[in-house]
Amino acid sequence: ITGGVVRVGADERGRRLDRARELMAANGLAAIVVEPGASLVYFTGVEWHRSERLTAAVLPARGRPVVVTPFFEAPSVRQTLGIDADVRVWQEDEDPISLVAAALREAGVGTARGGKGGGGGAVGIEATVRFFVHDGIARALSGARLASADPVVRGCRMIKTSAELALMQAATDVTIAAYRWTWPRVSEGMTPADIAALMNAATTKLGGSPEFALILLGEAAAYPHGSRDPQRVHAGEVVLMDCGCSVDGYQSDISRTFVPGRAPDAVRRVWDAVARGQQVAFAAARVGAPAGSVDDAVRAYYATLGYGPGYRLPGLSHRTGHGIGLDGHEPVNLVHGEATRLAPGMCFSDEPGLYLPGKFGVRLEDCFHMTDAGPKWFSTPPPGLDAPFG
C-alpha cells in the first residue's frame, strides 16, 4: 500500500538546507557538524552507520556542504547522498578531524565573516555527535567557540513539511493495516515472539519497514516496556501491542490493548479511563500551549480517578507523549515542565497509559500533528475495548 508514496527529493532537502542556513545566521553559527543518524539523513540523504572510522558532514551557513568519509567508503556513501556536496576522503593513516577542521575554517569559524552580526562564527555540534569528534574539533580549532546545534537541528526537524507528514501518514496506514490483519490471528498459547512475527510479516508485505513490535501479555503489561518472565496468551488476560514501522525513514508508533475472550470488568474500566485520557491530551494540545501542559492535563484527570499523583503508581509512570519523525522518539516531549510551545508541524505520540503493578496495564497510543487549527490524528483512536482497531 506504499507504492504511491513520494520519497524525499533534492528540492525538499534544498529547502531544509536553506532553513538551516537561516537559523545558523540567526544563532551566530558559521557551520554545524553532523554524524551519521537521522539528522544526517534529514539534511544530506546519506544513510550510513557510526563506527570508529569517522564519517561526518559540515553544513556551512554559506557555501557548499562537505562530507568527510574514509577513502574506501566514499563510493558507498555517495549512493545515498541527496544534495550537492563536496566529498572529502581520508586514508587509514590520516586524521579525519583535520578535514573537518579545514572545512570549518573555510566556513568562517572564528572569523569576521561567520556568525550573527558579522562576529566570529561558532561551530554548532549536533546533539548526538560523539565526544571524540567534539574534542578533536576543539583541539584542532583552538580558540573557536563550540555550541549546541539544537537551535538549527530542532528548528528544522521539529516542524514537519507536508511531504514529511505524508510519509508519516503512510507509515501509520501500514501499521494500522498490519494490526487489523494480525489481531484476529492472536490465539491461546501464543508467545510475544509469535505475535511479533505475524505483525512484522504483515508490515513488510504492506510496504513498511518494521521498526519494533513490543508485545506484553497479562501482568507484563503493567510494566511499560515489559518483563523478562515467560508470557503466553490466555483468555481473559490483557494483550498490549506497541508497534511501528517506517516509510522512507519516517516512523509510526501505535499501541493497542485488547483481551481475547471476555474482558474482566476491572480491565474494561481502566481501558475506558485511558481512552478518555487520550482525548484529554488531544484537547489540551493547542497551538501556543506549552508542551508540558498536555501532560499536566492528563495527570489532573487521572488524579480525579485516584491514580498518581504525578508519576506514581498505580497510574501513568511515563510522559504522555514524545516527538516523532525520522526518529521514533524526537524532541520535544509531552512531559511535565516542558516549556516549548506547540506549533503547526510538530508531531507527537499520545499515549497516557495506566499501569497497575502485579495486575495489568493498558496503553492506547495514536500520533497527531499540529495544524493552525489544532491537533489532527494520524490514526483514529479505537472506539472501545471490543473494537480495538475500529
Side-chain angles (χ1 to χ4, degrees):
I1 65 174
T2 59
V5 301
V6 178
R7 294 175 60 88
V8 173
D11 289 346
E12 175 82 5
R13 286 208 169 83
R15 288 188 288 271
R16 294 173 181 181
L17 289 173
D18 288 343
R19 175 60 177 157
R21 292 181 183 114
E22 292 173 1
L23 291 171
M24 282 185 241
N27 289 277
L29 301 177
I32 65 171
V33 176
V34 181
E35 277 202 88
S39 291
L40 188 67
V41 173
Y42 180 87
F43 288 114
T44 72
V46 173
E47 298 174 12
W48 202 241
H49 55 276
R50 297 189 187 196
S51 75
E52 75 282 4
R53 294 184 173 100
L54 180 65
T55 290
V58 175
L59 307 178
R62 300 180 182 89
R64 195 177 181 205
V66 174
V67 176
V68 172
T69 196
F71 167 77
F72 71 94
E73 302 284 25
S76 300
V77 168
R78 289 181 184 275
Q79 287 183 324
T80 54
L81 180 61
I83 61 171
D84 179 27
D86 183 10
V87 178
R88 301 181 185 179
V89 300
W90 56 277
Q91 301 292 354
E92 290 278 66
D93 60 349
E94 296 176 334
D95 179 13
I97 296 295
S98 64
L99 295 180
V100 174
L104 290 168
R105 290 189 193 98
E106 293 167 12
V109 169
T111 69
R113 73 182 181 88
K116 187 176 182 180
V123 182
I125 305 295
E126 199 264 347
T128 67
V129 168
R130 291 168 292 179
F131 175 78
F132 84 87
V133 181
H134 182 287
D135 185 57
I137 292 170
R139 291 173 183 272
L141 299 175
S142 179
R145 183 169 66 90
L146 275 61
S148 171
D150 277 357
V152 177
V153 176
R154 288 191 180 190
C156 291
R157 288 185 57 190
M158 280 175 54
I159 307 300
K160 271 63 176 182
T161 64
S162 58
E164 293 176 285
L165 295 175
L167 290 167
M168 293 177 71
Q169 185 62 64
T172 299
D173 293 345
V174 167
T175 299
I176 288 292
Y179 265 134
R180 288 175 174 158
W181 182 86
T182 302
W183 173 46
R185 290 168 173 79
V186 175
S187 59
E188 184 84 17
M190 277 187 168
T191 67
D194 296 331
I195 300 170
L198 291 175
M199 186 70 186
N200 288 336
T203 296
T204 301
K205 193 75 171 178
L206 289 160
S209 298
E211 293 287 343
F212 58 92
L214 176 65
I215 315 299
L216 309 178
L217 306 177
E219 183 189 343
Y223 314 106
H225 286 163
S227 167
R228 293 179 179 270
D229 292 339
Q231 302 164 49
R232 290 191 179 274
V233 174
H234 297 293
E237 292 187 359
V238 159
V239 175
L240 193 163
M241 298 180 64
D242 186 344
C243 305
C245 75
S246 60
V247 172
D248 197 25
Y250 285 85
Q251 296 200 27
S252 62
D253 190 355
I254 304 170
S255 297
R256 291 292 183 263
T257 301
F258 57 93
V259 176
R262 183 184 181 282
D265 292 342
V267 172
R268 195 171 292 277
R269 285 193 297 271
V270 174
W271 196 101
D272 289 344
V274 172
R276 177 59 185 155
Q278 267 199 306
Q279 297 300 329
V280 168
F282 189 78
R286 290 290 176 258
V287 171
S293 66
V294 178
D295 187 72
D296 294 341
V298 171
R299 292 182 200 283
Y301 163 63
Y302 281 167
T304 68
L305 305 179
Y307 296 110
Y311 293 83
R312 296 179 185 174
L313 293 171
L316 172 56
S317 54
H318 58 70
R319 61 201 174 201
T320 292
H322 55 78
I324 186 170
L326 277 171
D327 283 317
H329 288 188
E330 295 186 354
V332 292
N333 297 311
L334 303 179
V335 65
H336 176 70
E338 177 56 65
T340 302
R341 305 236 170 223
L342 302 184
M346 290 182 174
C347 301
F348 299 97
S349 70
D350 180 349
E351 48 178 317
L354 284 173
Y355 307 97
L356 288 65
K359 298 179 181 178
F360 63 89
V362 171
R363 182 160 68 248
L364 303 174
E365 177 184 13
D366 295 275
C367 294
F368 65 84
H369 61 94
M370 297 300 299
T371 73
D372 291 332
K376 182 178 180 180
W377 294 113
F378 282 107
S379 54
T380 303
L385 176 58
D386 299 319
F389 304 101

